[in-house]
Amino acid sequence: MTAIGKVVATELKPATPHQFHFWTATDTSVGIGAIVKVAEGGTGGTGDGGRVVYGVVTEGFAYSDLATPLHDVVGAEGDPTRADEAPTARQQIRYWTAAVLRQTPEEPLQPVPLGQVYVADDADVAQALRMDTFLFSATPTAIPVGLYTSAGRDSPVYLDADFLLGPEAAHLNISGVSGLATKTSAVEFLLASIFAHFPAHKGRVAAVCFNVKGPDLCFLDQPGDLSDEDRRRYERLEVPSEPFQRVRLYAPLKADGVNLNTLRTHPDLVGDVEPLTWGLQEVVDYAEVLLNRDDIDAKADAFIDFLRDRVLGRTFDDGFGTTHRVQTFADLDRFFRAVFDGLEITAGGRSDTWRTHHIATMRKVRNRLLNISTRCKGLVTDDGPSSDLPWNGFEDRTVYVIDIANVDPLGQDLVFARVVSRLREQLERRELGVDAVIVFVDELNKYAPGDGPETYVKKMLLDISERGRYLGLVLFGAEQFRSQVHRRVVGNAGTQVFGRMDMDELATPGYQVLTPATKSKLATLPIGELMIRHPHFTQPIFVRFPKPPVLRGRDGVERFPPAADVPFEDAVVRQLVRLDRRVRPNQVKDLIADREQDDVRRALAAVRRTRPDDVLAYFRKVLGARVEPEALLREHHAVPPLNPISDEPY
Amino acid sequence: MTWWRALVDAGAVPGRGSTRDEVEAGARADLVEENELQTHPIPEPRIPDPVSFLNGIERWSVVAYDGVVQVVNAYVAAAVRRRDATGGLHTTFERSRGFAIAPLDRMTPMVRQALEQSVADVESVPSELVEQPARYLEMIEATVRRARARMERELAEEALDDLAADEWLVIDGLLSRSPDVARHPRALGVIKSHGAQFLEGRGLERALTLPAGYRTSVFAVRGGHTRTEVYSWYLRLWPWEGNDLLYGLLRIEARAHPDTVARASALSAWLWTERAPLATPATRWDRLLYPLHHVEEYLKARAPRDLQQRASRMSRLPRLAS
Ligand SMILES: Nc1ncnc2c1ncn2[C@@H]1O[C@H](COP(=O)(O)OP(=O)(O)OP(=O)(O)O)[C@@H](O)[C@H]1O
Ligand SMILES: [Mg+2]
């Protein structure tokens, strides 16, 4: 190995245990982010008999022996065009500052020796980033995240699964400007890498991705265009350059109750999309989500508990002479009317409480619940749960994409709250089917903003980020501006990733630890390059990653243009065919020709729920009479309690 | 208003400070270009490529007293650095010598033995001046200077042997010290001290008031006993008005040959471009060409630590025992 520099130290700029300075030739491969090695004594950088120090370049300086800029002006006689005519080039220096990544031996911790400087090779990079411990152990836990490419190198960089996906640390946060930071792409690549490298001894892993932006995550099962260079990088990182093998897509229905509310509606692909529809019970279980959005009200909570415990799915006597069995939103509306009317008539409007609940509270709860059924029609149906995620049967290395890009914000919160809470419950019971789940939330600043009300969703995201690592519930969050996300949600992410950053953002206090050179590198970072902080790395490291192996959302809608909404009968046919290929369209159309759409939707929901062997026969049967909503036999799930948001984590 | 303002108003040129160069012997010069010394503006420059630059340094200090005998540690070094196409300088020849100087026959046997055993290179000097310390040190200074001049001469000869077909060698100081060097067609001496006077009368006045960007006519210089005849002329790099008569003034030496006269203007134009970059912070930057300064800085950086600091900069306060 040949030396590329030499450590120099002066009284004013000494070498310390954590930082050193060195010079290189003017023409050098070293740059900001380069990893270098300093070897004391010995030859060829082996560090024989001395200490070896690894560092990452954080700042660079160039200057010449020019005593004052005036002398340059004098030399050129004030004429800039002549400034370059001088026949001799002044003596110059390339002077670098590096932050220590690791010292060997680690004890006693001493200032960096004034030795020669070498460019780090693969083995040095592994040493420098303390990857040797998890890369070469008996049970390796290394997850490739990209290639370290500074100083002409091409060395794989790995994250430690124990620190990325728990239990030691967990969660990942990625930030950077839109379009250039490659946030979504980086997460897609990392998921592919995790699926390829999640160690067997850690069990099974799956991912749940919320698609919140257009077609972003709708084509994870379709191959994307990769360059030869991308493929080479995949090979170097030992990650297959293929789209995800197992992708399950979920999308709510549109208001018509039969067409899917997603951009993946091209006839070739729409067959894979599962409708996501929930009923009254699911909504009431998470009613706090709807209420807490702007007001926390203990009285409302008490009334919701009452509804859940005493009314829903039970035979209930309202005390005014009517017996209710509330199973749908329509039933719920009837129930409220009966109570309000009863109060009006029997009490003559004098009493404003009913069974200790104030009428205003009841009106509020009623309005919120019925409101969601209209605002999120298609997600929330009147027919009970007809389609949901497989809570007991998550499969290994499968991505579950939930497309809520076109759902009302309130509905998005509801989906988040319910999905994440269910994941948490199932993981706690060890009944989910996998040992770890990565939950990818794009636009995290919308769901866990640094300011604004303490919504249920925000509390839930905080809860995962603080306790998820013990459960295997891992949050991968992305946002443009980290400073806009709740401090503790980003703070708890063990791994922090940065793409191209905005200068204003870099000026916020969160980035004070970075040198001006590192900041300016971040502000001009090319597409495909990221800066990574990870518990094992004592300094941020720059890596390159290949384009994700999947079809980009934007390209997906071009290659597979979304189909226009199909007429009601065709949509019904399509859904039935999806469940049973033998179903003949004309038979279905004849069956539903003179039926109420509501009845047809209800029958369809029953088919989805039951998944009978003979779909058409069952459909015909349930359509025969008014389809009663299936008795709600399940135990209802109360929303798990959450700690209030406070600045103390416990 | 100061009184000398009136002089300027009456036609004098304003001045500031002065340079005092050590007085040296200088024989009368004969003009070889024109009949009377003239001044010539320099033409458009053309810079030869490559060019090598030679410079040397000397250091000495008294390191021990054997009775009143002052024992001196001395160091001389010289280097040639060649300029590449990008304007960078690279060392092609380099020599250095660290040695002791002492009047061996005046030393006590024990100290002398210790000196001879511990230093490989000892230069013995005559002992007459030992009892006159000031003159003794002048003699030491001259000894070191001679050692340096010899080293520069040898290095110049070596470099000239190796010179590429159209390469030039620029030497800091006199060209005339070695016959081989003095006769070489592409060697130039650049002299920045003007203790030796070659001109008189109107010619002298023209030379000392030479405007910036002008050269004088070429004259022949016959130096002291060992010196070979060379041709020479003055060149002004920076305006002297407002400074002093020697400000920015160089004397150039080249071989005594008609070609030198023919080339004097072109060579002057080239050397004029070497004004930039400025050789600051050197005190005589107005006359020091940057590449020659650079060679000197290079040699200084490589000189032994204990001799790097100039005596004048060292504290004269009594040292405390530690
Ligand atoms: N490794 C890579 N190499 C080259 N190009 C890439 C790479 N990764 C992503 N890209 C391209 O960069 C562009 C932006 O990527 P992406 O959509 O992931 O950014 P984003 O940060 O998520 O943006 P937004 O904030 O708008 O969601 C895409 O066109 C993508 O194809
Ligand atoms: Mg994105």
Side-chain angles (χ1 to χ4, degrees), chain B residues 227-241:
Chain B
R227 294 193 182 157
T228 314
E229 186 187 60
V230 290
Y231 282 3
S232 186
W233 69 93
Y234 287 98
L235 167 67
R236 180 86 70 183
L237 298 183
W238 301 96
W240 67 274
E241 298 88 344

Side-chain angles (χ1 to χ4, degrees), chain A residues 24-25 73 82 139 193 239 250 318 326 345 391 442 501 512:
Chain A
T24 63
V73 179
R82 292 185 47 188
T139 49
S193 178
V239 175
Y250 295 84
D318 63 15
V326 177
I345 296 160
W391 299 117
D442 211 337
M501 303 286 290
Q512 264 167 7

